[in-house]
Coordinates of all heavy atoms in Angstrom, one line a residue:
K56 N 62.2 -15.9 17.5 CA 63.1 -16.0 16.2 C 64.3 -16.8 16.7 O 64.7 -17.0 17.8 CB 63.7 -14.7 15.8 CG 62.5 -13.6 15.7 CD 63.2 -12.2 15.3 CE 62.1 -11.2 15.4 NZ 62.7 -9.8 15.3
F57 N 65.1 -17.3 15.5 CA 66.2 -18.2 15.7 C 67.2 -17.9 14.6 O 66.8 -17.2 13.6 CB 66.0 -19.6 15.9 CG 65.4 -20.3 14.8 CD1 66.1 -20.9 13.9 CD2 64.0 -20.3 14.6 CE1 65.5 -21.7 12.8 CE2 63.3 -20.9 13.6 CZ 64.0 -21.6 12.7
V58 N 68.5 -18.3 14.8 CA 69.5 -18.1 13.8 C 69.9 -19.3 13.2 O 70.2 -20.3 13.9 CB 70.7 -17.4 14.5 CG1 71.8 -17.1 13.5 CG2 70.3 -16.0 15.2
V59 N 70.2 -19.3 11.8 CA 70.7 -20.4 11.1 C 71.8 -20.1 10.3 O 71.9 -19.0 9.7 CB 69.6 -21.0 10.2 CG1 68.5 -21.7 11.1 CG2 68.9 -20.1 9.3
D60 N 72.7 -21.0 10.0 CA 74.0 -20.8 9.2 C 73.9 -21.5 7.9 O 74.8 -21.4 7.1 CB 75.2 -21.2 10.0 CG 75.4 -20.3 11.3 OD1 74.9 -19.2 11.2 OD2 76.0 -20.8 12.3
S61 N 73.0 -22.5 7.7 CA 73.1 -23.3 6.5 C 72.2 -22.7 5.4 O 71.1 -22.1 5.6 CB 72.2 -24.8 6.9 OG 71.9 -25.4 5.7
V62 N 73.0 -22.6 4.2 CA 72.4 -21.9 3.1 C 71.1 -22.7 2.6 O 70.1 -22.1 2.2 CB 73.4 -21.9 1.9 CG1 73.6 -23.2 1.3 CG2 72.8 -20.9 0.8
N63 N 71.0 -24.0 2.7 CA 69.8 -24.8 2.4 C 68.6 -24.5 3.3 O 67.5 -24.3 2.8 CB 70.1 -26.3 2.5 CG 71.0 -26.8 1.3 OD1 71.1 -26.0 0.2 ND2 71.8 -27.8 1.5
F64 N 69.0 -24.3 4.6 CA 68.0 -24.1 5.7 C 67.5 -22.6 5.3 O 66.3 -22.3 5.4 CB 68.7 -24.0 7.0 CG 67.6 -24.3 8.2 CD1 67.9 -25.3 9.1 CD2 66.4 -23.5 8.3 CE1 67.0 -25.3 10.2 CE2 65.7 -23.6 9.3 CZ 65.9 -24.7 10.4
I65 N 68.4 -21.7 4.9 CA 68.0 -20.4 4.7 C 67.0 -20.3 3.5 O 66.0 -19.6 3.5 CB 69.3 -19.4 4.5 CG1 70.0 -19.2 5.8 CG2 68.9 -18.1 3.8 CD1 71.3 -18.6 5.7
K66 N 67.4 -21.0 2.4 CA 66.6 -21.1 1.2 C 65.1 -21.6 1.5 O 64.2 -21.2 1.1 CB 67.3 -21.7 0.2 CG 68.3 -21.1 -0.4 CD 69.0 -21.9 -1.6 CE 70.2 -21.2 -2.2 NZ 70.9 -21.8 -3.3
E67 N 65.2 -22.7 2.3 CA 63.9 -23.4 2.7 C 62.9 -22.4 3.6 O 61.8 -22.3 3.4 CB 64.1 -24.6 3.5 CG 62.9 -25.4 3.7 CD 62.4 -26.0 2.3 OE1 63.2 -26.4 1.5 OE2 61.1 -26.1 2.2
A68 N 63.6 -21.6 4.5 CA 62.8 -20.7 5.3 C 62.3 -19.7 4.4 O 61.2 -19.1 4.7 CB 63.8 -20.2 6.4
D69 N 63.1 -19.1 3.4 CA 62.6 -18.2 2.5 C 61.4 -18.5 1.8 O 60.4 -17.8 1.6 CB 63.8 -17.7 1.6 CG 63.5 -16.4 0.7 OD1 62.9 -15.5 1.3 OD2 63.7 -16.5 -0.6
K70 N 61.4 -19.7 1.1 CA 60.3 -20.3 0.4 C 59.0 -20.4 1.2 O 58.0 -20.2 0.8 CB 60.6 -21.7 0.1 CG 61.4 -21.9 -1.3 CD 61.5 -23.3 -1.8 CE 62.8 -23.9 -1.7 NZ 62.9 -25.3 -2.1
L71 N 59.2 -20.7 2.7 CA 58.0 -20.8 3.5 C 57.6 -19.5 4.1 O 56.6 -19.3 4.8 CB 58.4 -21.9 4.6 CG 58.5 -23.2 4.1 CD1 59.1 -24.2 5.3 CD2 57.4 -23.7 3.5
G72 N 58.2 -18.5 3.8 CA 58.0 -17.0 4.1 C 58.3 -16.7 5.6 O 57.8 -15.8 6.3
L73 N 59.2 -17.6 6.1 CA 59.7 -17.4 7.5 C 61.0 -16.8 7.7 O 61.5 -16.3 8.8 CB 59.7 -18.8 8.3 CG 58.5 -19.6 8.3 CD1 58.9 -21.1 8.7 CD2 57.6 -18.8 9.3
L74 N 61.8 -16.4 6.6 CA 63.0 -15.8 6.6 C 62.8 -14.3 6.7 O 62.3 -13.7 6.0 CB 63.8 -16.1 5.4 CG 65.3 -15.6 5.3 CD1 66.1 -16.3 6.4 CD2 65.9 -15.8 4.0
L75 N 63.5 -13.7 7.8 CA 63.2 -12.3 8.1 C 64.4 -11.5 7.5 O 64.1 -10.4 6.9 CB 63.3 -12.0 9.6 CG 62.1 -12.7 10.3 CD1 62.3 -12.6 11.8 CD2 60.7 -12.1 9.9

Side-chain angles (χ1 to χ4, degrees):
K56 305 172 187 176
F57 61 100
V58 181
V59 294
D60 298 331
S61 160
V62 65
N63 291 331
F64 201 134
I65 288 171
K66 288 179 177 179
E67 194 62 44
D69 189 46
K70 277 193 240 176
L71 296 171
L73 294 171
L74 184 64
L75 297 173

